Amino acid sequence: MKELIMADEFFATDRQKFAPLAARMRPKTLEEYAGQEHILGPGKLFTRAIEADRLSSIVLYGPPGSGKTTLALCISERTQAHFESINAVMSNVEEMRKIISAARNRLVASSRRTILFIDEIHRFNKAQQDVLMPDVESGTIILIGATTMNPFFSLVSPLISRSLVFELKPLSRDNIISLLRRALEDSERGLGSLNVKADTKALEFIAETSDGDARRALSALEVGVLTTPKSKDGNIHFTLQIAEESIQKKIVQYDADGDLHYDTA
């Protein structure tokens, strides 16, 4: 039993270094966050709400790798409110009721608000979404929902009407290249200790092929670097050929009932 506890402690302490590059390089603050200047630029409503810690319930809608979960985690770092995070795939009504009950007690006891982040909120059915309604409306919880599906199709209308919807765009080519260079230079969380010499054309190829998906771009960089042996000069040369081998063809998203049907067509 003691050995098992020690193993658990080791995993909790060192699991970060075993995480994929995309997870290790996830921005921890808004200052590190890349892209989405249309909602996070100077003087924008979203930026002002975060800086003033006066966020209302919101839904973040955008393609994979555009920074929805990362943005929520950056908000958790900035806010004075209590922050709870669940994934709709693994959660259920019972867990939500416990979080809401604790949020009510917290608000009464210490006047501290609770932000509830629900990743993949479109996975909740109508009944599960309805559980949130009274406390979102009363302000007991501040909802941050993240979804890759159009919320006007996938979420119930009453929940949408009580939330601000922010659409996140695919990251730009320059955003992706900046993230790749940051990962190559960062010795603590990234690949900086491996002495990688990356060709500009290789990074540009990944930036173009990843279609604005930061996770996909960083995963391609990681697999390319880690599977390339060092040359005689002690460096890893990340070339265009390696980049082409490292990134997979984009998976087309499709849904029969939502607007992705028309996007695919």
Side-chain angles (χ1 to χ4, degrees):
M1 180 64 70
K2 184 177 180 181
E3 291 180 355
L4 180 61
I5 294 174
M6 291 177 64
D8 289 342
E9 291 176 349
F10 172 81
F11 178 75
T13 302
D14 289 352
R15 61 187 173 187
Q16 177 68 12
K17 69 182 181 182
F18 297 113
L21 178 64
R24 301 199 309 272
M25 290 302 301
R26 190 188 294 276
K28 297 180 179 180
T29 65
L30 284 173
E31 289 70 27
E32 293 182 3
Y33 191 84
Q36 314 308 334
E37 292 86 357
H38 63 292
I39 61 173
L40 286 173
K44 299 288 186 179
L45 172 64
F46 200 3
T47 304
R48 299 199 312 270
I50 295 172
E51 290 177 345
D53 200 10
R54 298 300 300 172
L55 204 63
S56 60
S57 290
I58 61 173
V59 175
L60 302 175
Y61 156 51
S66 56
K68 300 179 295 297
T69 302
T70 297
L71 182 52
L73 294 175
C74 289
I75 291 171
S76 75
E77 185 271 337
R78 184 67 64 92
T79 185
Q80 295 298 312
H82 179 78
F83 191 88
E84 291 279 355
S85 176
I86 61 175
N87 189 296
V89 175
M90 298 179 288
S91 187
N92 52 42
V93 170
E94 181 182 358
E95 182 182 14
M96 284 195 297
R97 291 192 189 281
K98 290 180 179 179
I99 292 173
I100 291 170
S101 176
R104 291 171 182 167
N105 294 334
R106 190 176 298 110
L107 192 62
V108 172
S110 62
S111 298
R112 191 182 183 194
R113 301 180 304 158
T114 298
I115 294 177
L116 173 58
F117 172 59
I118 304 179
D119 200 7
E120 300 189 74
I121 192 172
H122 61 273
R123 300 279 189 171
F124 276 159
N125 59 35
K126 182 180 183 299
Q128 289 172 308
Q129 293 180 38
D130 285 343
V131 171
L132 298 166
M133 288 302 309
D135 294 279
V136 168
E137 185 169 19
S138 67
T140 302
I141 60 171
I142 299 166
L143 173 68
I144 301 179
T147 174
T148 57
M149 310 298 290
N150 189 327
F152 296 100
F153 285 104
S154 57
L155 302 184
V156 296
S157 296
L159 195 57
I160 288 292
S161 69
R162 290 162 176 79
S163 307
L164 291 173
V165 177
F166 291 98
E167 182 176 2
L168 276 65
K169 306 291 186 181
L171 298 187
S172 70
R173 175 178 172 276
D174 289 342
N175 288 152
I176 295 291
I177 291 176
S178 176
L179 291 175
L180 294 174
R181 292 195 183 281
R182 185 189 301 173
L184 290 170
E185 295 168 1
D186 192 322
S187 298
E188 183 179 347
R189 294 185 291 162
L191 304 170
S193 61
L194 298 179
N195 298 322
V196 182
K197 302 297 182 183
D199 292 346
T200 300
K201 288 185 177 180
L203 300 183
E204 290 176 347
F205 177 83
I206 290 180
E208 292 287 350
T209 314
S210 62
D211 294 304
D213 185 334
R215 186 183 301 108
R216 188 165 173 241
L218 288 167
S219 296
L221 177 67
E222 181 178 32
V223 71
V225 168
L226 296 184
T227 57
T228 302
K230 289 188 176 182
S231 58
K232 293 180 179 179
D233 61 6
N235 296 321
I236 295 174
H237 289 248
F238 187 73
T239 64
L240 176 58
Q241 181 182 352
I242 294 172
E244 290 172 344
E245 296 173 346
S246 300
I247 192 161
Q248 295 180 340
K249 184 178 179 181
K250 181 183 179 183
I251 298 174
V252 176
Q253 285 188 288
Y254 178 80
D255 62 333
D257 301 321
D259 56 357
L260 290 176
H261 167 79
Y262 301 100
D263 293 342
T264 302

